[in-house]
Amino acid sequence: MTGYLGSYATLGLLLLASVLFLVVAFSANRVLRPARPADPPGKRANYECGVDPVGGDWAQMQIRYYVYAYLYVLFAVEAVFLFPWAVIFDRPGFGLVTVVEMAIFVAVLALGLFYAWRRKILNWT
């Protein structure tokens, strides 16, 4: 399988093998499963760490948890971008331009933090 169409033939054989594997796996599942699966009492009940469930299954979450999670992810990504910059900062060729670029990056993130602080998003009530 060489030449222009050889790579497409390889891809086609791989796709055919994967579809064949999927069909064989689902067929084996259908053949080997029990005809009438058991449904013991309590099988479909909610399980809460060994304790019988109390109350309904719907609970309202406060949006502030998601805001804190979003802010954490935002500043974790900032740290991911700052570490490589800090490692190569002292190498030749990374001078004033690199410092200015990172200052702009940190300023934009600080502006976002200032915005969240002014809107009182960071106040825990």
Side-chain angles (χ1 to χ4, degrees):
M1 288 193 205
T2 60
Y4 179 72
L5 295 177
S7 59
Y8 289 112
T10 304
L11 179 64
L13 286 175
L14 183 64
L15 288 173
L16 181 67
S18 62
V19 169
L20 183 65
F21 178 77
L22 185 73
V23 168
V24 167
F26 275 102
S27 299
N29 183 28
R30 182 168 294 270
V31 169
L32 297 176
R33 73 182 172 113
R36 300 194 65 179
D39 198 9
K43 180 177 181 179
R44 299 187 191 279
N46 293 338
Y47 181 72
E48 297 180 1
C49 301
V51 180
D52 291 333
V54 177
D57 59 348
W58 185 83
Q60 186 174 4
M61 288 286 289
Q62 296 291 330
I63 191 68
R64 65 175 165 245
Y65 299 121
Y66 297 107
V67 171
Y68 277 99
Y70 179 72
L71 288 172
Y72 170 77
V73 168
L74 179 74
F75 288 106
V77 169
E78 175 192 4
V80 167
F81 283 123
L82 282 175
F83 283 130
W85 175 78
V87 169
I88 66 166
F89 176 68
D90 63 345
R91 293 186 184 167
F94 296 96
L96 184 62
V97 175
T98 307
V99 173
V100 170
E101 288 175 354
M102 193 51 64
I104 292 170
F105 176 71
V106 171
V108 168
L109 290 172
L111 186 66
L113 183 62
F114 180 71
Y115 175 77
W117 177 68
R118 291 284 291 173
R119 298 279 304 219
K120 299 190 188 290
I121 293 174
L122 300 177
N123 290 345
W124 191 265
T125 57

